[in-house]
Every structure is written in structure tokens, then in C-alpha cells.
Amino acid sequence: MDMKAPEKKLGIKERYRLLTRDLAWEPSYQSAKDIYPYLDYEGIRIHDWDKWEDPFRLTMDAYWKYQGEKERKFYAIIDAHAQNNGHLNITDARYLSALKIFLQAISPGEYAAHKGFARVGREFAGAGTQVACQMQALDELRHAQTQIHALSNYNKYYSGFHAFAETRDRIWYTSVARSFFDDAMSAGPFEFLIAIGFSFEYVLTNLLFVPFMSGAAYNGDMATVTFGFSAQSDEARHMTLGLECIKFMLEQDPGNLPIVQKWIDKWFWRGFRVLGLVSTMMDYMLPKRVMSWREAWEIYGVENGGALFRDLALYGIRPPKGWEDAGKAIDHMSHQFMLAFYQWRFGTAFHTWIPSDEDMDWLSAKYPTTFDRYYRPRWDYIRKAEAEGRPFKNFGLAKLCQCCQLPCVFTEPDDPSILCHRETVHRGETYHFCSDGCQAIFEDEPEKYVQAWLPMPQLFQAPLFGDLMAWMDWAHLKDGLDNGEYPASSDQQSFDRWRGLATSNT
Amino acid sequence: MAVAALAPYEFQPRDLVENFAGKQLVYVSWDRHLLFAAPFLICLPPETPFQALVDGPLAQLLALDPDAAAIDWRAVEWLKAGKPFTPDFGRTLAENGIGHKTLLRFQTPGLNSVTAAA
């Protein structure tokens, strides 16, 4: 009997060639311009699309295999979390405030990134870019899904997780992440890749997923750790895609350099502003902290970012314009944010609290040049006022930045005792900014930002006309449940009671 | 047009004064008083007398700061859109040239009990 000869297995390079070969066709009855109308209006010149190589050459069957393995692990841990009351294994329910911000502001961003990549995968002319963008679109969709699934377990027991899709569009701090992605999605395909591939992946996800997920592990939240590390293993591929695209543009034509530099300047600063939310999660919201925001910045910002810019210097790229101001802000941003979240705690779909003595000693050790001098006196005063029955509740709404949409909570880069005020008049209208970085972005493309939907000015227009309670209903924020201080909140009471039941015989 | 676009890219600002039903936005910031995280957004009619802005919404919002009661409003130094400005307390916002989205800053030298070290 003849032995059946095994079919020759194709190598990954060959499989990738077969996957992409039909994508790079020459149009015969439509013009290339009609098929790819978005390729050249940004001014980027590409002479040879074949020079763009997908560094991973990931094929669909390999993709299913790798991601399927990760998903099986992920859902096994989610199941175990649900069956074993994993929500009681966390340090305490203050930790959930960080998760709520994550779900309300970051997970919808993953979904937006998915939509953006699906779009630019269609708009790029090269087969390599098309396939790589398609793979990343799938990744981003999975990230949004796994995050929503992991955090839905907490929604059964705690407040603030129930309406992230609505809060994403309507609450003031979530509009920061939303405007970042709306800006990217309304940009051309090349700018989109810089916005997400460079700014979101390089600047944001390293700082978000690595130290924050270590924080989740430290605080007993294995469900979040699992989605974090599952996502982070994709992010390495995404960063490479972003970097390859930057290098490709720079190698194709010297005229691309100033355009790419301008986008790097812009998107570094926009990414840095979104990171403000993360700094507070790390320094204040983790009951057990792994590293300070400053320490994370040293590793992932200064060291990794510095290496990236040394690499790109070969092409004539310099570090982004806001790099120095960002460095000066590191010792201040988490404190400025937490003080803001605390005093506007009526308007947040998560809880805040006054840091304990122990927390403040940790902050003062981690921020030796700033915390005791600038921030401890404010917390001390707020605590004293609270103890005397005069809780510090600021019912004033805030001036927002027209570009990043954050309340203007930042101080001058060289004077932490005074707020940074910047304004521009454009066609008779006044616009305000939180920083030189945001002002410069506006002034470069004012048409883009005059139309910004800013939550606080919007509250005073039709149909709410300043009615705060009506705004809460509209934003799906349940007053007295989702907002306010952590001590005495229903989250604290439930957690302590259930944890007590789990660890005692009564 | 500075935006790179395939077609005309023109949009209305979302916070034009006509959207505020006869009122306007005024931003107010108390310099070096960082117990307040950001400048205040206040919405009121342009016919509001300056005195009423100070005695009304502003006094209410500032009361949380231990220095609030000690403010001598006649000695306060004002900036309007970044430039020195002397308000006429008896006249309206409009008459004082305070338009929609104007930022007013005021300074009270020597008065800073919470972050004096700064």
C-alpha cells in the first residue's frame, strides 16, 4: 500500500503572501484616485507602497490560534472570578474608582480605535498596511469586549459600572478621552496612525497597561490583570506597526518630515493630557500602590520615549514640542486631578476621598519636592474643614480647555502656585486653553476645535439650561449612589459587609 | 483654511452666545488660591451689575476659602483677558466690556492662608 505523502506545509512568509496577494491589484475600470481618495490630501507622499513591510506578517489562522489561546485563559479566570466572589478579593472598594474611570473613559476608546483602524485599513493603498490595520482593528474590538466583560462582574455588586456608554458621551472627564479619539477619527489616514500608533500605543498604553495592571495584581483583581496582559501582548505589535508607519513615511519622501513632526508634536501632547486620568488612578486610587506615577514616567516616558526619539533622530525627528513641559508637570498632575475630582465629587460616577496620613506620607516620599509644599496643605485644610462640619464641596463648574476638554486645573510649567491661563480670539470668538500645547494645536487647525462639544458650557444651553439634577439623569449618573465620597458610600458599606461575611462566622 | 480636508470644512462654534437664552458665560479665577481647582464658569445675563456678580455667585463660590471673608473688593487687582482692568461696580457686565467667555482674574496680594508656603 502506498503511503500518503504529507502535504508540504507552507511557511508563514508564504502563507502571508497568499493572504495578501489579491489585495494589491491594479484597478482597470476605476481610477486609483477614486478608490483611495484619502491618500494624498494630507500632503504625505508615498512613491512605493511595496516598501512597507508588515513586521509581523500575521496571517488569519495564526491570529485565531494565538488570540484563541489568550481568550480561553481570560474567560477561565473571569469564570473563576464570578464563581468565587472575586470582587471580595480586592484590597477594598476604593480600588473600584480606578476601574470605573477605566471603563468609562478608556474602554470606549478601544472601540473607537477599532472603528478607526477598520476605516484606515480600507483607505491605505498598500496590501501590507491594509492587512496590518485589519488585524489591529480586530485586536481593538477584542480589547473593548474583554474589558467590558471583565468589569461587568463588578456591575452586579457595585455602583458606577452600569452606564459607561452614556457616561462616555456625557460626563466631563470622559469627554477628554472621547475628544482624543474623535479628533483622530476625523483626521486623515496617516494622521490617524500617528495619533493611535504613536500617541495612544507608545505614550499611553505602556503607562496604562503595564504599571496599572501591576497595580491591579497588587490589589487582588486578577480579572483586570488578565485582560490587561492579554491586551498588552497585542500592544507591542501595535507599537511596531505605528513605528513602521512613521519610518515608512519618512523614508518615502523628505517632504513628509515636517508633516510627521507636526503630528508627533500634536499627538504627544493630546496623549499626555489623557494620561492625567491615569496618574490619579495610580497615585491615589490604588489602596496598595506598586509605583508612583513619577516612577512609571521615568521608565516608560523618559527611558522608553527617549530611546524612541533617539531612534527617530536618524530621520530628522526631534522630541515633541511639549516634552519639556510634560516633564515639569509629572510632579503635579496626579495631585491636581485628585483635588479636582474630590471637590467636584457631586459630578463624578466614581468615589473620591481625602487621603489618609499614611497615603500622604507615601505621596510625600514619592514626590519629595512638591507634595508637602504644594498639596499637603490643601488636603490638611480640606480634612480640617470636613471635621468641623464644613465639607469642601465646590459647586462651581469649571472653565474647560477647548482642545483637550479637561477643566483648566494645571498650573504654569514654571510656577506651581498659579493656574495656567491661555486664550485665543478666532473670528470674534474667545477660546480658552489649559496649556501652550493645547493652544498651539487649536491655532494650527482652529476649524477643527471651534465645533468642540464641551460638557460644561453645554449644560447651560438647551435643553438643560443649567439644571444639574436634569444633567445627572441625562448622564445616567445616580446621585447619592455613583458619586460622592467613598466613606459611607454604598460601595464601602456593601464591600465591608460582604467581606465580613466571607471572613467571619457571624 | 488650515485644516487639510477634501471638502470645505466649516462648522459653527457650539457655544455661541445666542445659544444661552439671553445669558452669557463669564470665567472668574482667584489667582494663587488653588483650593479651587480651576477657574469658575458662571452663566448670567450681560445686564448683571458687576456688583451683583461679586456679591452673588462669586461670593457664594468663594466662601469655601478661609481668605474669602477678608477680601477687600475695592483693593482687588483685576485682569480682564490678561490685561489690567478697573471694573465699575455700579455698571453692568456689558458696560464693563465683559463679553461672552471673558476670563476675569483677580489678585489679593498678601492674602493666602492655605498655601502660603507656595
Side-chain angles (χ1 to χ4, degrees):
Chain A
M1 200 172 91
D2 288 343
M3 293 282 285
K4 196 175 175 230
E7 275 180 45
K8 197 177 162 232
K9 266 202 157 175
L10 295 173
I12 195 149
K13 208 170 169 184
E14 186 59 12
R15 288 215 307 275
Y16 184 78
R17 193 188 65 76
L18 291 172
L19 173 77
T20 55
R21 67 179 171 183
D22 291 334
L23 290 170
W25 75 84
E26 285 298 319
S28 56
Y29 60 92
Q30 290 283 349
S31 74
K33 181 97 191 141
D34 285 344
I35 296 175
Y36 300 116
Y38 302 101
L39 273 187
D40 51 15
Y41 80 96
E42 295 170 278
I44 293 290
R45 276 166 272 178
I46 302 296
H47 305 290
D48 182 1
W49 279 94
D50 289 337
K51 287 271 172 13
W52 197 90
E53 288 228 16
D54 182 346
F56 286 93
R57 291 200 186 83
L58 191 61
T59 59
M60 204 46 94
D61 51 349
Y63 183 86
W64 298 139
K65 183 170 171 289
Y66 298 145
Q67 305 297 20
E69 280 169 15
K70 284 199 288 186
E71 301 279 85
R72 274 192 293 280
K73 267 185 225 162
F74 170 75
Y75 282 102
I77 288 171
I78 296 294
D79 276 352
H81 178 93
Q83 287 171 24
N84 297 307
N85 281 325
H87 70 101
L88 294 179
N89 292 334
I90 58 172
T91 38
D92 71 51
R94 279 179 303 162
Y95 166 75
L96 298 175
S97 280
L99 290 190
K100 291 172 195 177
I101 297 182
F102 193 99
L103 182 64
Q104 292 160 17
I106 308 292
S107 302
E110 302 268 20
Y111 186 71
H114 147 71
K115 287 203 289 187
F117 273 104
R119 191 202 95 206
V120 298
R122 169 64 186 82
E123 289 175 0
F124 280 131
T129 27
Q130 288 168 353
V131 172
C133 289
Q134 186 188 15
M135 296 294 181
Q136 183 158 351
L138 287 171
D139 285 342
E140 304 292 3
L141 186 58
R142 282 183 36 255
H143 296 174
Q145 285 175 339
T146 50
Q147 288 163 22
I148 293 163
H149 280 168
L151 299 182
S152 70
N153 275 314
Y154 290 104
N155 182 39
K156 293 176 200 161
Y157 304 102
Y158 304 99
S159 57
F161 290 94
H162 60 287
F164 68 92
E166 285 82 6
T167 53
R168 178 258 185 189
D169 282 351
R170 299 173 186 188
I171 291 190
W172 50 279
Y173 50 90
T174 51
S175 80
V176 176
R178 184 182 75 152
S179 87
F180 178 98
F181 283 98
D182 283 356
D183 192 350
M185 290 203 292
S186 54
F190 289 102
E191 188 183 343
F192 177 85
L193 264 204
I194 300 274
I196 309 301
F198 161 75
S199 175
F200 191 64
E201 308 293 355
Y202 250 103
V203 183
L204 262 160
T205 60
N206 263 334
L207 275 157
L208 180 61
F209 283 107
V210 184
F212 183 64
M213 294 311 156
S214 309
Y218 235 49
N219 286 279
D221 181 8
M222 296 320 286
T224 294
V225 175
T226 317
F227 83 61
F229 285 137
S230 168
Q232 186 58 27
S233 60
D234 297 337
E235 307 301 358
R237 181 155 46 82
H238 300 170
M239 282 182 236
T240 312
L241 171 62
L243 193 56
E244 282 301 310
C245 186
I246 292 174
K247 289 180 177 171
F248 175 61
M249 284 188 264
L250 296 171
E251 283 165 3
Q252 283 286 308
D253 198 292
N256 293 339
L257 176 64
I259 307 176
V260 172
Q261 181 71 57
K262 188 177 90 168
W263 287 337
I264 287 181
D265 290 348
K266 169 183 173 181
W267 287 99
F268 166 73
W269 191 254
R270 297 228 60 188
F272 186 69
R273 277 296 183 243
V274 179
L275 276 173
L277 298 169
V278 184
S279 70
T280 315
M281 288 151 75
M282 285 182 60
D283 278 345
Y284 282 86
M285 294 185 173
L286 300 179
K288 277 180 82 71
R289 290 172 292 268
V290 175
M291 60 165 74
S292 65
W293 168 249
R294 160 160 276 299
E295 289 163 327
W297 175 256
E298 287 292 337
I299 299 172
Y300 300 102
V302 178
E303 285 178 30
N304 291 7
L308 170 69
F309 290 114
R310 278 193 296 281
D311 195 15
L312 290 175
L314 299 170
Y315 299 89
I317 292 285
R318 49 158 178 75
K321 219 160 53 176
W323 187 253
E324 229 177 274
D325 282 353
K328 291 176 187 170
I330 293 301
D331 284 328
H332 301 278
M333 57 202 287
S334 67
H335 318 301
Q336 291 169 345
F337 268 95
M338 188 65 172
L339 279 155
F341 283 142
Y342 179 77
Q343 64 191 259
W344 295 315
R345 59 195 178 278
F346 63 93
T348 57
F350 57 84
H351 299 300
T352 45
W353 52 89
I354 299 169
S356 66
D357 285 336
E358 194 196 334
D359 290 338
M360 289 210 258
D361 290 346
W362 185 87
L363 290 165
S364 121
K366 296 296 182 185
Y367 294 94
T369 58
T370 57
F371 185 75
D372 285 346
R373 185 166 179 203
Y374 298 106
Y375 303 104
R376 193 192 279 268
R378 285 179 232 172
W379 284 120
D380 282 345
Y381 176 77
I382 288 170
R383 181 153 61 176
K384 190 167 141 264
E386 162 97 22
E388 291 167 359
R390 298 178 289 111
F392 195 87
K393 289 183 184 171
N394 179 355
F395 284 103
L397 300 182
K399 184 185 85 168
L400 303 183
C401 173
Q402 187 77 23
C403 178
C404 71
Q405 306 209 357
L406 278 163
C408 295
V409 300
F410 305 101
T411 45
E412 285 288 351
D414 294 310
D415 185 354
S417 70
I418 193 152
L419 288 173
C420 182
H421 307 278
R422 298 289 183 272
E423 62 181 89
T424 293
V425 175
H426 174 71
R427 295 190 178 176
E429 285 292 311
T430 305
Y431 299 95
H432 295 273
F433 309 96
C434 69
S435 56
D436 291 326
C438 282
Q439 184 178 18
I441 293 168
F442 176 93
E443 286 175 351
D444 187 54
E445 295 179 302
E447 299 87 348
K448 226 177 161 173
Y449 305 97
V450 297
Q451 55 176 316
W453 186 95
L454 298 173
M456 298 208 188
Q458 215 64 38
L459 169 63
F460 289 94
Q461 301 182 29
L464 298 173
F465 295 114
D467 183 339
L468 210 54
M469 295 315 284
W471 170 76
M472 285 194 189
D473 283 346
W474 178 71
H476 291 239
L477 196 167
K478 293 183 190 148
D479 189 31
L481 204 60
D482 297 336
N483 57 1
E485 277 196 277
Y486 177 71
S489 65
S490 69
D491 276 6
Q492 189 208 28
Q493 289 173 12
S494 300
F495 180 83
D496 290 351
R497 189 158 53 89
W498 295 328
R499 178 74 156 262
L501 290 173
T503 55
S504 72
N505 291 314
T506 50
Chain B
M1 189 173 78
V3 169
L6 285 181
Y9 195 99
E10 296 282 336
F11 296 91
Q12 281 273 54
R14 296 258 193 164
D15 50 6
L16 293 171
V17 69
E18 44 268 38
N19 299 350
F20 290 83
K23 296 183 178 176
Q24 67 173 46
L25 299 182
V26 178
Y27 297 115
V28 187
S29 186
W30 187 1
D31 279 356
R32 300 188 198 277
H33 279 70
L34 294 168
L35 267 179
F36 304 112
F40 298 111
L41 173 157
I42 298 171
C43 185
L44 68 192
E47 304 80 46
T48 311
F50 194 85
Q51 186 79 53
L53 164 70
V54 172
D55 293 346
L58 201 50
Q60 229 175 9
L61 291 166
L62 299 180
L64 289 169
D65 191 286
D67 292 337
I71 300 175
D72 174 2
W73 286 106
R74 300 290 156 174
V76 156
E77 294 162 19
W78 293 89
L79 294 172
K80 183 176 74 175
K83 295 189 182 67
F85 160 67
T86 310
D88 183 333
F89 281 67
R91 308 185 79 168
T92 66
L93 298 180
E95 287 163 349
N96 272 294
I98 298 164
H100 182 47
K101 293 185 279 180
T102 295
L103 170 68
L104 296 173
R105 290 166 60 184
F106 66 97
Q107 297 164 349
T108 51
L111 203 59
N112 198 348
S113 39
V114 175
T115 45

